[in-house]
Structure formats: structure tokens, C-alpha cells
Amino acid sequence: LETIFDTLNAKAALYAIAEITEARGIDVPVMISGTITDRSGRLLSGQTPEAFWNAVRHADPLTIDNLIEFQTLTPEVAALLKAVVELGLNIIISSGTGTGKTTMLNNLSRFIPSSERVITIEETAELQLQQADVVGLETRVANVEGKGTVSPRDLLRNSLRMRPDRIIVGEARGGEVLEMPNAARILFKD
């Protein structure tokens, strides 16, 4: 662990974060290179010294009730979003970096009926869906020979063959955008 922090030159940043959060009584584990640490603070397997500092995330995500309590949402908007999810309507969540899009999506996913099959498509697995039938798909970059790339568009196309009730695309900023209207049409229920 020390080797990784020395290599990253992030040790000072971690101590600063620890002091700030401890002073406020907040326990914040860190996320390195897209992988969340376990609750003991150890890095999960797969971490290398080449990993980079990515973000700080709370171990216990905020709930809809927290968002209402912090006046991020009104109870009326929360009820509307719940109804939209329960009806199976399409939703686009769009905002800047670090504004809570993943937090919102994790909260909205709690309203998806447990009987539905959900497929997630992400570049880095961040979503924490609680349903029993969730298939998480991740993109893959090319190997050293330039082969083996799996794009979000590839995953979206293939996910339609997996009998999903819902498809959640973590980020849409490339060719997958062209496939989304077709996916929505195929998943449309009468």
C-alpha cells in the first residue's frame, strides 16, 4: 500500500482528506483507478503502482431520503421520479463531473421492480444495483496489439439479445448514442 501511495504521490492528499473528514466525523474510504476499497481500507485486488488517483466516494451512498433531507430533491420530485421508473419510462441523467449522477441513478434503480432483468453498460463499474437479476457489462480497451476493444456500442447491441427488461448505459458519448433509440423501441412495452 505504501509503495502505491509513494508512486502516486498521493499520500499527502490522503492524509489531508483524512484530517478534513475526521474533523467532521465522516469516514471516507478512497477509490483508486475506478475500484472502491473495501471497508477495511485495503485496496482490492488488481491494483498496480501504475494506478492513478481517481476520486473519493462515500462507502454508504446517499439515499433518496438523504437527498430530500439535504434539499437536493423535493418530496414531489422524488415521487415523480419514482413513478417514472416504476412505469418503465426512459430517463436521461445529465450533469457535470462530480455532481451526483451515479448517486441519483443508484437511487432511482431502487424503484425498479425486483422481477425485472437489468443490464448495465459502463466503462468502469460504479453502479450498485440491488436487484437479483442484474448483468453488469464493462467496456474493454485494446490490448498492446490494438485488438480486443469492446465499446459501449458493441455492448448495447449485444445486450438486446440478453432479454433485458431495462438497459442502463452509464455514459453515452460515442456511437452507442446511435443505438439507443433502437434499443428503446425494442424494449418498449404495450
Side-chain angles (χ1 to χ4, degrees), residues 157-178:
R157 280 187 194 154
N158 287 313
S159 70
L160 295 172
R161 298 183 186 111
M162 301 172 81
R163 300 181 288 101
D165 293 302
R166 299 187 191 230
I167 300 172
I168 298 174
V169 180
E171 292 185 29
R173 58 176 178 247
E176 66 276 8
V177 174
L178 300 172

Side-chain angles (χ1 to χ4, degrees), residues 26-56:
I26 303 169
D27 179 27
V28 182
V30 298
M31 182 171 92
I32 308 263
S33 187
T35 302
I36 299 173
T37 61
D38 68 9
R39 295 197 186 255
S40 71
R42 294 184 310 256
L43 293 177
L44 297 176
S45 63
Q47 295 303 314
T48 67
E50 293 79 29
F52 59 93
W53 179 261
N54 191 2
V56 176

Side-chain angles (χ1 to χ4, degrees), residues 55-122:
V56 176
R57 306 256 183 198
H58 291 278
D60 298 317
L62 298 173
T63 65
I64 286 285
D65 291 336
N66 295 138
L67 297 177
I68 292 169
E69 178 185 337
F70 300 145
Q71 297 180 349
T72 303
L73 289 177
T74 65
E76 295 80 13
V77 169
L80 173 67
L81 290 171
K82 179 180 180 189
V84 166
V85 172
E86 288 174 344
L87 289 169
L89 300 177
N90 295 317
I91 300 175
I92 295 175
I93 299 173
S94 176
S95 188
T97 303
T99 56
K101 295 180 297 293
T102 301
T103 298
M104 179 61 73
L105 189 49
N106 280 326
N107 274 290
L108 294 179
S109 74
R110 292 184 174 123
F111 303 132
I112 297 172
S114 59
S115 61
E116 293 189 3
R117 180 180 179 90
V118 181
I119 307 226
T120 64
I121 298 171
E122 301 178 85

Side-chain angles (χ1 to χ4, degrees), residues 141-149:
V141 296
N143 62 20
V144 294
E145 297 161 348
K147 298 179 181 178
T149 301

